[in-house]
Amino acid sequence: MITADFHASRNEPRRLAQSNYDVVKAVVEQIVKHSPNCIIIVVTNPLDAMAQAALKVSGFPKNRVLGMAGVLDSARMSTFVAMECKVSVENVHSFVLGGHGDDMVPLPLFDRAEFPPRSVAKESIDAIVERTRKGGAEIVNLLKTGSAYYAPSAAAVEMVKRFLRTRKRFSLAPLPEGEYGIKGLFVGVP
Ligand code: LAC
């Protein structure tokens, strides 16, 4: 369920959150009824609020309701780093934490790229961080209607694979209760 409308007017955020809350509530009620032991990966925007809604409506324990944002944003950042350094994106491992919007925290220091280290100008790094932060809006502007779907779908599948197989460290949005000094907010953490 991917809904990421970027707002044209002041009331848009509230209308988006309310309309998407209604969708999330209806879907989660069905999830609880038909798959009461599952893990819910929330993709709907505004991500942190909709993950909170899914947790509340489902009544699931907090370790079974997670927001998908970091894997998507990290993949975008890796792509931009790979383009800048002219290497395969397979050799770049980025890490993006925090929210899935302007409060996103793309971490340049986490970019471990398996190729001869080369200096990347600070301006280029800043541009990559900014482009990562605005990645969703860039696609919405290109698509004109609707929201991104390939990358978010691939990111959700990647999260499922990592849960099931690799346990490879990645960024996701759980509900910290004091970890990392954060309490009660769905936010991207390792
Ligand atoms: C994006 C939407 C899914 O970042 O929030 O493309």
Side-chain angles (χ1 to χ4, degrees):
M1 175 177 36
I2 295 162
T3 323
D5 305 295
F6 289 79
H7 323 302
S9 77
R10 201 166 41 81
N11 295 328
E12 276 302 295
R14 196 169 299 126
R15 273 184 39 202
L16 170 71
Q18 183 55 58
S19 60
N20 283 359
Y21 170 80
D22 296 340
V23 172
V24 167
K25 180 173 182 297
V27 170
V28 169
E29 285 167 348
Q30 292 306 310
I31 290 174
V32 172
K33 191 171 155 194
H34 298 290
S35 187
N37 300 313
C38 72
I39 293 175
I40 299 176
I41 297 176
V42 180
V43 181
T44 306
N45 279 324
L47 193 274
D48 52 352
M50 292 304 111
Q52 288 274 9
L55 178 73
K56 187 162 166 274
V57 170
S58 66
F60 283 5
K62 71 167 196 145
N63 62 345
R64 289 206 284 124
V65 180
L66 303 162
M68 186 290 288
V71 174
L72 168 60
D73 299 319
S74 302
R76 285 176 175 153
M77 184 168 194
S78 293
T79 302
F80 301 145
V81 170
M83 288 159 66
E84 169 68 26
C85 298
K86 296 183 181 35
V87 295
S88 161
V89 71
E90 296 300 323
N91 293 334
V92 180
H93 307 277
S94 301
F95 222 70
V96 177
L97 302 175
H100 179 55
D102 292 345
D103 50 358
M104 189 185 301
V105 184
L107 296 176
L109 69 158
F110 266 73
D111 279 335
R112 177 174 55 81
E114 286 141 20
F115 55 91
R118 60 177 286 259
S119 65
V120 179
K122 181 177 179 327
E123 299 71 35
S124 303
I125 291 176
D126 292 347
I128 286 170
V129 168
E130 191 53 23
R131 190 175 179 193
T132 302
R133 200 168 270 140
K134 302 267 191 279
E138 180 178 342
I139 292 176
V140 168
N141 290 333
L142 291 169
L143 287 173
K144 303 286 183 253
T145 58
S147 165
Y149 42 88
Y150 278 124
S153 313
V157 168
E158 184 60 26
M159 279 181 78
V160 172
K161 280 185 344 192
R162 292 187 192 185
F163 276 128
L164 296 176
R165 289 194 209 134
T166 64
R167 297 268 177 245
K168 200 160 72 174
R169 195 163 96 126
F170 60 102
S171 167
L172 52 75
L175 182 67
E177 288 175 331
E179 298 89 339
Y180 306 98
I182 301 167
K183 204 168 169 58
L185 267 183
F186 276 84
V187 63
V189 293

mmCIF file of all heavy atoms in Angstrom, residues 27-72:
data_model
loop_
_atom_site.group_PDB
_atom_site.id
_atom_site.type_symbol
_atom_site.label_atom_id
_atom_site.label_comp_id
_atom_site.label_asym_id
_atom_site.label_seq_id
_atom_site.Cartn_x
_atom_site.Cartn_y
_atom_site.Cartn_z
ATOM 1 N N VAL A 27 -7.438 -1.559 6.242
ATOM 2 C CA VAL A 27 -6.560 -2.681 5.835
ATOM 3 C C VAL A 27 -6.044 -3.429 7.064
ATOM 4 O O VAL A 27 -6.077 -4.667 7.129
ATOM 5 C CB VAL A 27 -5.376 -2.152 4.980
ATOM 6 C CG1 VAL A 27 -4.335 -3.248 4.769
ATOM 7 C CG2 VAL A 27 -5.885 -1.616 3.640
ATOM 8 N N VAL A 28 -5.618 -2.674 8.072
ATOM 9 C CA VAL A 28 -5.047 -3.328 9.267
ATOM 10 C C VAL A 28 -6.109 -4.164 9.986
ATOM 11 O O VAL A 28 -5.840 -5.260 10.476
ATOM 12 C CB VAL A 28 -4.423 -2.283 10.210
ATOM 13 C CG1 VAL A 28 -4.074 -2.898 11.560
ATOM 14 C CG2 VAL A 28 -3.164 -1.678 9.567
ATOM 15 N N GLU A 29 -7.336 -3.687 10.008
ATOM 16 C CA GLU A 29 -8.418 -4.487 10.637
ATOM 17 C C GLU A 29 -8.560 -5.847 9.941
ATOM 18 O O GLU A 29 -8.743 -6.880 10.587
ATOM 19 C CB GLU A 29 -9.728 -3.699 10.618
ATOM 20 C CG GLU A 29 -9.758 -2.578 11.653
ATOM 21 C CD GLU A 29 -10.909 -1.585 11.435
ATOM 22 O OE1 GLU A 29 -11.536 -1.643 10.348
ATOM 23 O OE2 GLU A 29 -11.147 -0.752 12.335
ATOM 24 N N GLN A 30 -8.395 -5.833 8.625
ATOM 25 C CA GLN A 30 -8.469 -7.110 7.880
ATOM 26 C C GLN A 30 -7.234 -7.979 8.153
ATOM 27 O O GLN A 30 -7.320 -9.205 8.254
ATOM 28 C CB GLN A 30 -8.613 -6.831 6.375
ATOM 29 C CG GLN A 30 -9.966 -6.209 5.995
ATOM 30 C CD GLN A 30 -11.146 -7.047 6.495
ATOM 31 O OE1 GLN A 30 -11.205 -8.259 6.280
ATOM 32 N NE2 GLN A 30 -12.059 -6.407 7.203
ATOM 33 N N ILE A 31 -6.078 -7.297 8.258
ATOM 34 C CA ILE A 31 -4.835 -8.049 8.549
ATOM 35 C C ILE A 31 -4.983 -8.785 9.888
ATOM 36 O O ILE A 31 -4.706 -9.975 10.009
ATOM 37 C CB ILE A 31 -3.622 -7.085 8.614
ATOM 38 C CG1 ILE A 31 -3.289 -6.547 7.235
ATOM 39 C CG2 ILE A 31 -2.420 -7.783 9.240
ATOM 40 C CD1 ILE A 31 -2.183 -5.482 7.240
ATOM 41 N N VAL A 32 -5.481 -8.055 10.890
ATOM 42 C CA VAL A 32 -5.627 -8.654 12.229
ATOM 43 C C VAL A 32 -6.565 -9.856 12.164
ATOM 44 O O VAL A 32 -6.329 -10.901 12.774
ATOM 45 C CB VAL A 32 -6.148 -7.590 13.227
ATOM 46 C CG1 VAL A 32 -6.493 -8.235 14.558
ATOM 47 C CG2 VAL A 32 -5.110 -6.487 13.407
ATOM 48 N N LYS A 33 -7.612 -9.708 11.360
ATOM 49 C CA LYS A 33 -8.638 -10.777 11.259
ATOM 50 C C LYS A 33 -8.058 -12.010 10.528
ATOM 51 O O LYS A 33 -8.243 -13.144 10.947
ATOM 52 C CB LYS A 33 -9.830 -10.215 10.469
ATOM 53 C CG LYS A 33 -11.080 -11.072 10.482
ATOM 54 C CD LYS A 33 -12.229 -10.264 9.852
ATOM 55 C CE LYS A 33 -13.299 -11.190 9.274
ATOM 56 N NZ LYS A 33 -14.210 -10.427 8.392
ATOM 57 N N HIS A 34 -7.312 -11.791 9.469
ATOM 58 C CA HIS A 34 -6.892 -12.916 8.612
ATOM 59 C C HIS A 34 -5.449 -13.365 8.847
ATOM 60 O O HIS A 34 -5.092 -14.461 8.460
ATOM 61 C CB HIS A 34 -7.090 -12.542 7.133
ATOM 62 C CG HIS A 34 -8.534 -12.265 6.780
ATOM 63 N ND1 HIS A 34 -9.492 -13.258 6.729
ATOM 64 C CD2 HIS A 34 -9.184 -11.094 6.525
ATOM 65 C CE1 HIS A 34 -10.674 -12.723 6.420
ATOM 66 N NE2 HIS A 34 -10.516 -11.412 6.294
ATOM 67 N N SER A 35 -4.630 -12.508 9.427
ATOM 68 C CA SER A 35 -3.226 -12.897 9.625
ATOM 69 C C SER A 35 -2.706 -12.331 10.947
ATOM 70 O O SER A 35 -1.800 -11.499 10.972
ATOM 71 C CB SER A 35 -2.402 -12.350 8.439
ATOM 72 O OG SER A 35 -1.092 -12.842 8.519
ATOM 73 N N PRO A 36 -3.289 -12.797 12.048
ATOM 74 C CA PRO A 36 -3.028 -12.180 13.362
ATOM 75 C C PRO A 36 -1.597 -12.323 13.868
ATOM 76 O O PRO A 36 -1.207 -11.629 14.806
ATOM 77 C CB PRO A 36 -4.002 -12.913 14.291
ATOM 78 C CG PRO A 36 -4.306 -14.207 13.609
ATOM 79 C CD PRO A 36 -4.216 -13.934 12.129
ATOM 80 N N ASN A 37 -0.798 -13.191 13.250
ATOM 81 C CA ASN A 37 0.574 -13.379 13.768
ATOM 82 C C ASN A 37 1.630 -12.781 12.849
ATOM 83 O O ASN A 37 2.818 -13.084 12.978
ATOM 84 C CB ASN A 37 0.850 -14.888 13.955
ATOM 85 C CG ASN A 37 -0.149 -15.486 14.941
ATOM 86 O OD1 ASN A 37 -0.377 -14.922 16.009
ATOM 87 N ND2 ASN A 37 -0.796 -16.571 14.550
ATOM 88 N N CYS A 38 1.211 -11.926 11.904
ATOM 89 C CA CYS A 38 2.182 -11.442 10.901
ATOM 90 C C CYS A 38 2.974 -10.240 11.412
ATOM 91 O O CYS A 38 2.711 -9.716 12.506
ATOM 92 C CB CYS A 38 1.420 -11.041 9.630
ATOM 93 S SG CYS A 38 0.475 -9.510 9.819
ATOM 94 N N ILE A 39 3.958 -9.832 10.634
ATOM 95 C CA ILE A 39 4.697 -8.572 10.856
ATOM 96 C C ILE A 39 4.152 -7.587 9.825
ATOM 97 O O ILE A 39 4.062 -7.914 8.645
ATOM 98 C CB ILE A 39 6.218 -8.771 10.635
ATOM 99 C CG1 ILE A 39 6.798 -9.690 11.714
ATOM 100 C CG2 ILE A 39 6.946 -7.423 10.631
ATOM 101 C CD1 ILE A 39 8.278 -10.026 11.491
ATOM 102 N N ILE A 40 3.736 -6.420 10.265
ATOM 103 C CA ILE A 40 3.218 -5.392 9.342
ATOM 104 C C ILE A 40 4.356 -4.445 8.974
ATOM 105 O O ILE A 40 4.984 -3.849 9.847
ATOM 106 C CB ILE A 40 2.059 -4.598 9.982
ATOM 107 C CG1 ILE A 40 0.884 -5.519 10.320
ATOM 108 C CG2 ILE A 40 1.608 -3.471 9.041
ATOM 109 C CD1 ILE A 40 -0.270 -4.815 11.048
ATOM 110 N N ILE A 41 4.629 -4.341 7.658
ATOM 111 C CA ILE A 41 5.602 -3.340 7.176
ATOM 112 C C ILE A 41 4.778 -2.230 6.529
ATOM 113 O O ILE A 41 4.126 -2.439 5.508
ATOM 114 C CB ILE A 41 6.578 -3.956 6.159
ATOM 115 C CG1 ILE A 41 7.422 -5.057 6.833
ATOM 116 C CG2 ILE A 41 7.469 -2.878 5.555
ATOM 117 C CD1 ILE A 41 8.365 -5.789 5.879
ATOM 118 N N VAL A 42 4.803 -1.044 7.147
ATOM 119 C CA VAL A 42 3.972 0.061 6.665
ATOM 120 C C VAL A 42 4.761 0.867 5.636
ATOM 121 O O VAL A 42 5.932 1.198 5.848
ATOM 122 C CB VAL A 42 3.571 0.978 7.845
ATOM 123 C CG1 VAL A 42 2.697 2.138 7.362
ATOM 124 C CG2 VAL A 42 2.830 0.172 8.918
ATOM 125 N N VAL A 43 4.121 1.171 4.504
ATOM 126 C CA VAL A 43 4.782 1.967 3.457
ATOM 127 C C VAL A 43 4.035 3.277 3.227
ATOM 128 O O VAL A 43 4.537 4.211 2.633
ATOM 129 C CB VAL A 43 4.848 1.156 2.136
ATOM 130 C CG1 VAL A 43 5.547 1.936 1.035
ATOM 131 C CG2 VAL A 43 5.556 -0.171 2.363
ATOM 132 N N THR A 44 2.816 3.372 3.744
ATOM 133 C CA THR A 44 1.944 4.515 3.440
ATOM 134 C C THR A 44 2.428 5.799 4.115
ATOM 135 O O THR A 44 2.846 5.775 5.281
ATOM 136 C CB THR A 44 0.514 4.194 3.937
ATOM 137 O OG1 THR A 44 0.112 2.952 3.361
ATOM 138 C CG2 THR A 44 -0.460 5.287 3.555
ATOM 139 N N ASN A 45 2.327 6.887 3.400
ATOM 140 C CA ASN A 45 2.704 8.200 3.955
ATOM 141 C C ASN A 45 1.518 8.906 4.587
ATOM 142 O O ASN A 45 0.377 8.624 4.217
ATOM 143 C CB ASN A 45 3.262 9.067 2.821
ATOM 144 C CG ASN A 45 4.714 8.732 2.550
ATOM 145 O OD1 ASN A 45 5.467 8.438 3.465
ATOM 146 N ND2 ASN A 45 5.096 8.742 1.294
ATOM 147 N N PRO A 46 1.746 9.828 5.522
ATOM 148 C CA PRO A 46 3.018 10.123 6.160
ATOM 149 C C PRO A 46 3.471 8.939 7.015
ATOM 150 O O PRO A 46 2.750 8.534 7.941
ATOM 151 C CB PRO A 46 2.744 11.363 7.001
ATOM 152 C CG PRO A 46 1.262 11.394 7.200
ATOM 153 C CD PRO A 46 0.641 10.651 6.042
ATOM 154 N N LEU A 47 4.638 8.397 6.696
ATOM 155 C CA LEU A 47 5.083 7.080 7.159
ATOM 156 C C LEU A 47 5.016 6.937 8.675
ATOM 157 O O LEU A 47 4.441 5.992 9.203
ATOM 158 C CB LEU A 47 6.508 6.833 6.655
ATOM 159 C CG LEU A 47 7.134 5.445 6.717
ATOM 160 C CD1 LEU A 47 7.783 5.178 8.065
ATOM 161 C CD2 LEU A 47 6.150 4.340 6.388
ATOM 162 N N ASP A 48 5.600 7.902 9.389
ATOM 163 C CA ASP A 48 5.678 7.709 10.850
ATOM 164 C C ASP A 48 4.270 7.702 11.460
ATOM 165 O O ASP A 48 3.937 6.869 12.302
ATOM 166 C CB ASP A 48 6.559 8.787 11.488
ATOM 167 C CG ASP A 48 6.135 10.199 11.065
ATOM 168 O OD1 ASP A 48 5.266 10.286 10.164
ATOM 169 O OD2 ASP A 48 6.638 11.168 11.627
ATOM 170 N N ALA A 49 3.416 8.593 10.978
ATOM 171 C CA ALA A 49 2.043 8.648 11.514
ATOM 172 C C ALA A 49 1.265 7.382 11.151
ATOM 173 O O ALA A 49 0.527 6.826 11.978
ATOM 174 C CB ALA A 49 1.322 9.885 10.967
ATOM 175 N N MET A 50 1.444 6.883 9.936
ATOM 176 C CA MET A 50 0.676 5.699 9.517
ATOM 177 C C MET A 50 1.190 4.437 10.228
ATOM 178 O O MET A 50 0.427 3.520 10.531
ATOM 179 C CB MET A 50 0.744 5.520 8.004
ATOM 180 C CG MET A 50 0.016 6.617 7.241
ATOM 181 S SD MET A 50 -1.730 6.801 7.708
ATOM 182 C CE MET A 50 -1.714 8.382 8.524
ATOM 183 N N ALA A 51 2.490 4.428 10.563
ATOM 184 C CA ALA A 51 3.015 3.284 11.335
ATOM 185 C C ALA A 51 2.429 3.313 12.743
ATOM 186 O O ALA A 51 2.017 2.283 13.290
ATOM 187 C CB ALA A 51 4.536 3.339 11.369
ATOM 188 N N GLN A 52 2.328 4.529 13.308
ATOM 189 C CA GLN A 52 1.682 4.675 14.629
ATOM 190 C C GLN A 52 0.243 4.175 14.552
ATOM 191 O O GLN A 52 -0.240 3.452 15.422
ATOM 192 C CB GLN A 52 1.656 6.159 15.042
ATOM 193 C CG GLN A 52 2.968 6.765 15.445
ATOM 194 C CD GLN A 52 3.315 6.562 16.913
ATOM 195 O OE1 GLN A 52 2.648 5.819 17.624
ATOM 196 N NE2 GLN A 52 4.411 7.177 17.328
ATOM 197 N N ALA A 53 -0.437 4.536 13.472
ATOM 198 C CA ALA A 53 -1.844 4.144 13.313
ATOM 199 C C ALA A 53 -1.957 2.619 13.219
ATOM 200 O O ALA A 53 -2.797 1.999 13.881
ATOM 201 C CB ALA A 53 -2.420 4.796 12.056
ATOM 202 N N ALA A 54 -1.045 2.011 12.441
ATOM 203 C CA ALA A 54 -1.101 0.543 12.274
ATOM 204 C C ALA A 54 -0.845 -0.148 13.605
ATOM 205 O O ALA A 54 -1.484 -1.146 13.948
ATOM 206 C CB ALA A 54 -0.068 0.103 11.242
ATOM 207 N N LEU A 55 0.078 0.412 14.398
ATOM 208 C CA LEU A 55 0.367 -0.181 15.713
ATOM 209 C C LEU A 55 -0.873 -0.101 16.599
ATOM 210 O O LEU A 55 -1.292 -1.083 17.216
ATOM 211 C CB LEU A 55 1.540 0.549 16.367
ATOM 212 C CG LEU A 55 1.924 0.062 17.767
ATOM 213 C CD1 LEU A 55 2.611 -1.300 17.692
ATOM 214 C CD2 LEU A 55 2.830 1.070 18.472
ATOM 215 N N LYS A 56 -1.490 1.066 16.607
ATOM 216 C CA LYS A 56 -2.672 1.300 17.486
ATOM 217 C C LYS A 56 -3.856 0.426 17.046
ATOM 218 O O LYS A 56 -4.448 -0.296 17.838
ATOM 219 C CB LYS A 56 -3.031 2.789 17.412
ATOM 220 C CG LYS A 56 -4.107 3.237 18.355
ATOM 221 C CD LYS A 56 -4.068 4.799 18.530
ATOM 222 C CE LYS A 56 -5.355 5.289 19.189
ATOM 223 N NZ LYS A 56 -6.426 5.525 18.169
ATOM 224 N N VAL A 57 -4.141 0.442 15.761
ATOM 225 C CA VAL A 57 -5.329 -0.303 15.268
ATOM 226 C C VAL A 57 -5.110 -1.815 15.419
ATOM 227 O O VAL A 57 -6.010 -2.550 15.805
ATOM 228 C CB VAL A 57 -5.609 0.068 13.794
ATOM 229 C CG1 VAL A 57 -6.661 -0.851 13.190
ATOM 230 C CG2 VAL A 57 -6.019 1.531 13.692
ATOM 231 N N SER A 58 -3.873 -2.264 15.136
ATOM 232 C CA SER A 58 -3.638 -3.727 15.161
ATOM 233 C C SER A 58 -3.582 -4.276 16.582
ATOM 234 O O SER A 58 -3.968 -5.414 16.840
ATOM 235 C CB SER A 58 -2.310 -4.052 14.460
ATOM 236 O OG SER A 58 -1.221 -3.512 15.220
ATOM 237 N N GLY A 59 -3.065 -3.458 17.505
ATOM 238 C CA GLY A 59 -2.871 -3.987 18.866
ATOM 239 C C GLY A 59 -1.707 -4.973 18.918
ATOM 240 O O GLY A 59 -1.456 -5.638 19.914
ATOM 241 N N PHE A 60 -0.941 -5.063 17.794
ATOM 242 C CA PHE A 60 0.221 -5.975 17.756
ATOM 243 C C PHE A 60 1.316 -5.428 18.673
ATOM 244 O O PHE A 60 1.388 -4.217 18.921
ATOM 245 C CB PHE A 60 0.784 -6.045 16.332
ATOM 246 C CG PHE A 60 -0.006 -6.901 15.359
ATOM 247 C CD1 PHE A 60 -1.214 -7.489 15.719
ATOM 248 C CD2 PHE A 60 0.466 -7.106 14.074
ATOM 249 C CE1 PHE A 60 -1.942 -8.261 14.814
ATOM 250 C CE2 PHE A 60 -0.240 -7.884 13.155
ATOM 251 C CZ PHE A 60 -1.452 -8.458 13.526
ATOM 252 N N PRO A 61 2.240 -6.305 19.132
ATOM 253 C CA PRO A 61 3.413 -5.809 19.871
ATOM 254 C C PRO A 61 4.261 -4.943 18.944
ATOM 255 O O PRO A 61 4.243 -5.115 17.722
ATOM 256 C CB PRO A 61 4.149 -7.090 20.268
ATOM 257 C CG PRO A 61 3.615 -8.176 19.391
ATOM 258 C CD PRO A 61 2.220 -7.775 18.989
ATOM 259 N N LYS A 62 5.031 -4.015 19.542
ATOM 260 C CA LYS A 62 5.708 -3.016 18.703
ATOM 261 C C LYS A 62 6.750 -3.654 17.767
ATOM 262 O O LYS A 62 7.097 -3.079 16.746
ATOM 263 C CB LYS A 62 6.366 -1.965 19.584
ATOM 264 C CG LYS A 62 7.569 -2.453 20.353
ATOM 265 C CD LYS A 62 8.342 -1.288 20.937
ATOM 266 C CE LYS A 62 9.708 -1.760 21.341
ATOM 267 N NZ LYS A 62 10.736 -0.789 21.149
ATOM 268 N N ASN A 63 7.231 -4.877 18.107
ATOM 269 C CA ASN A 63 8.246 -5.467 17.206
ATOM 270 C C ASN A 63 7.614 -6.142 15.996
ATOM 271 O O ASN A 63 8.303 -6.754 15.193
ATOM 272 C CB ASN A 63 9.122 -6.454 17.977
ATOM 273 C CG ASN A 63 8.301 -7.623 18.525
ATOM 274 O OD1 ASN A 63 7.070 -7.539 18.558
ATOM 275 N ND2 ASN A 63 8.969 -8.675 18.925
ATOM 276 N N ARG A 64 6.294 -6.027 15.866
ATOM 277 C CA ARG A 64 5.649 -6.589 14.669
ATOM 278 C C ARG A 64 4.948 -5.512 13.837
ATOM 279 O O ARG A 64 4.131 -5.799 12.972
ATOM 280 C CB ARG A 64 4.644 -7.682 15.063
ATOM 281 C CG ARG A 64 5.308 -8.939 15.567
ATOM 282 C CD ARG A 64 4.438 -10.184 15.365
ATOM 283 N NE ARG A 64 3.339 -10.289 16.327
ATOM 284 C CZ ARG A 64 2.061 -10.401 15.987
ATOM 285 N NH1 ARG A 64 1.707 -10.345 14.711
ATOM 286 N NH2 ARG A 64 1.123 -10.522 16.916
ATOM 287 N N VAL A 65 5.289 -4.246 14.084
ATOM 288 C CA VAL A 65 4.771 -3.149 13.240
ATOM 289 C C VAL A 65 5.951 -2.216 12.945
ATOM 290 O O VAL A 65 6.515 -1.603 13.861
ATOM 291 C CB VAL A 65 3.651 -2.363 13.940
ATOM 292 C CG1 VAL A 65 3.147 -1.232 13.031
ATOM 293 C CG2 VAL A 65 2.483 -3.285 14.318
ATOM 294 N N LEU A 66 6.346 -2.177 11.662
ATOM 295 C CA LEU A 66 7.565 -1.440 11.314
ATOM 296 C C LEU A 66 7.306 -0.559 10.091
ATOM 297 O O LEU A 66 6.512 -0.921 9.221
ATOM 298 C CB LEU A 66 8.673 -2.443 10.974
ATOM 299 C CG LEU A 66 8.992 -3.450 12.097
ATOM 300 C CD1 LEU A 66 9.747 -4.637 11.534
ATOM 301 C CD2 LEU A 66 9.782 -2.774 13.199
ATOM 302 N N GLY A 67 7.971 0.556 10.041
ATOM 303 C CA GLY A 67 7.826 1.435 8.882
ATOM 304 C C GLY A 67 8.952 1.185 7.876
ATOM 305 O O GLY A 67 10.106 0.975 8.271
ATOM 306 N N MET A 68 8.602 1.171 6.599
ATOM 307 C CA MET A 68 9.604 1.031 5.536
ATOM 308 C C MET A 68 9.957 2.421 5.021
ATOM 309 O O MET A 68 9.129 3.117 4.479
ATOM 310 C CB MET A 68 9.052 0.193 4.372
ATOM 311 C CG MET A 68 10.074 -0.130 3.275
ATOM 312 S SD MET A 68 10.578 1.269 2.260
ATOM 313 C CE MET A 68 9.120 1.540 1.309
ATOM 314 N N ALA A 69 11.174 2.836 5.281
ATOM 315 C CA ALA A 69 11.610 4.118 4.713
ATOM 316 C C ALA A 69 13.111 4.066 4.475
ATOM 317 O O ALA A 69 13.591 4.373 3.382
ATOM 318 C CB ALA A 69 11.253 5.275 5.645
ATOM 319 N N GLY A 70 13.842 3.623 5.504
ATOM 320 C CA GLY A 70 15.310 3.663 5.395
ATOM 321 C C GLY A 70 15.861 2.842 4.246
ATOM 322 O O GLY A 70 16.795 3.265 3.555
ATOM 323 N N VAL A 71 15.270 1.667 4.002
ATOM 324 C CA VAL A 71 15.792 0.818 2.911
ATOM 325 C C VAL A 71 15.585 1.534 1.574
ATOM 326 O O VAL A 71 16.458 1.577 0.702
ATOM 327 C CB VAL A 71 15.095 -0.561 2.919
ATOM 328 C CG1 VAL A 71 15.512 -1.394 1.719
ATOM 329 C CG2 VAL A 71 15.398 -1.312 4.202
ATOM 330 N N LEU A 72 14.424 2.175 1.434
ATOM 331 C CA LEU A 72 14.129 2.914 0.193
ATOM 332 C C LEU A 72 15.078 4.108 0.049
ATOM 333 O O LEU A 72 15.744 4.288 -0.968
ATOM 334 C CB LEU A 72 12.681 3.413 0.249
ATOM 335 C CG LEU A 72 12.228 4.432 -0.779
ATOM 336 C CD1 LEU A 72 12.353 3.895 -2.197
ATOM 337 C CD2 LEU A 72 10.790 4.864 -0.497
#
